[in-house]
Amino acid sequence: MKNILAILALIAPLLAGAQESAPRLQEDPRAARFRDVERGLFVGMEAGYMAFTDTPTEDPAKFPYAGKAGGSAGGLMVGLTLGMDFGNRLSLAVYGQGGNQKGSSNYGAFSLFAGGLDARVALFGWTDRNDWERFFFYVHGRGGYAKSWPEGLFSTTDVVVQGGPGIEYFTRLRHFSVGLAADYVYATKAKASGYAIYPTVRYTF
């Protein structure tokens, strides 16, 4: 018995050293190495249709044939955004957008460009089978300084605010999302109401 104990006492340090020198097990190859949905700094593009239900004339003396108003007007709108996600629910961005609006034949057409700040809050999110939130319903609002050409027709300078609901889907390409937004639009100086409907594409770094 004493011999057995002596042998165990001798080989115990050797066993401990062998255990320490044994290579560590490799990480599970099935473990995810990247997030399925990226969040952070992003750039986005939007393009769609914007219209005003009424187009008042800012300077009737300069545009006598336009009358006091040109009725409804609409046309293509494109925009760019640069912003940051703060978690899965809130994002803030700066935006710039512009487009052409075509009114009645007497009123003519005008260009409207605006830029400012945009805030978005996702109210609901749905998860996929891997428990990643990919589909969101959100509301957003934006406002910014706007200029219009030709000067004196619609509103040479203005503040345009807009906002409304939207949906966004984060694709399995990780960095890309696509969506659709519908906004109420109001030009505060011209006192003109309108709407905008536009798809969105976003890339998150």
Side-chain angles (χ1 to χ4, degrees):
M1 185 68 180
K2 292 182 179 180
N3 293 335
I4 294 174
L5 293 175
I7 293 171
L8 290 175
L10 290 173
I11 65 174
L14 298 176
L15 292 174
Q19 185 176 7
E20 291 178 359
S21 62
R24 294 184 179 181
L25 294 176
Q26 295 182 351
E27 295 182 3
D28 186 353
R30 297 169 298 179
R33 289 177 170 78
F34 304 98
R35 293 180 295 181
D36 279 16
V37 175
E38 293 291 341
R39 291 288 188 174
L41 180 67
F42 64 84
V43 294
M45 180 178 180
E46 51 198 38
Y49 183 79
M50 177 183 285
F52 287 94
T53 57
D54 186 37
T55 51
T57 305
E58 183 182 53
D59 188 353
K62 188 175 181 180
F63 298 93
Y65 296 106
K68 293 183 179 180
S72 61
L76 177 68
M77 178 272 290
V78 295
L80 294 173
T81 58
L82 174 64
M84 176 69 71
D85 289 317
F86 298 91
N88 293 347
R89 291 290 187 268
L90 174 66
S91 67
L92 300 176
V94 293
Y95 79 94
Q97 68 181 36
N100 294 318
Q101 303 286 306
K102 185 178 180 180
S104 66
S105 57
N106 290 335
Y107 191 87
F110 61 94
S111 299
L112 182 67
F113 294 87
L117 298 176
D118 180 283
R120 177 191 295 190
V121 178
L123 301 180
F124 305 104
W126 289 268
T127 58
D128 62 9
R129 61 183 181 181
N130 296 321
D131 205 32
W132 284 94
E133 285 187 312
R134 292 187 180 277
F135 188 81
F136 292 88
F137 174 82
Y138 67 85
V139 293
H140 85 116
R142 61 175 53 169
Y145 177 78
K147 285 188 67 66
S148 177
W149 290 272
E151 296 182 357
L153 182 57
F154 177 71
S155 183
T156 303
T157 60
D158 212 321
V159 174
V160 174
V161 295
Q162 65 185 83
I167 55 175
E168 186 172 27
Y169 175 73
F170 287 81
T171 71
R172 296 185 181 276
L173 297 177
R174 290 179 52 222
H175 297 275
F176 288 94
S177 68
V178 294
L180 180 68
D183 290 353
Y184 169 77
V185 182
Y186 185 70
T188 60
K189 184 178 177 181
K191 296 181 173 59
S193 298
Y195 62 91
I197 300 174
Y198 51 94
T200 62
V201 178
R202 197 175 89 167
Y203 179 88
T204 305
F205 295 93

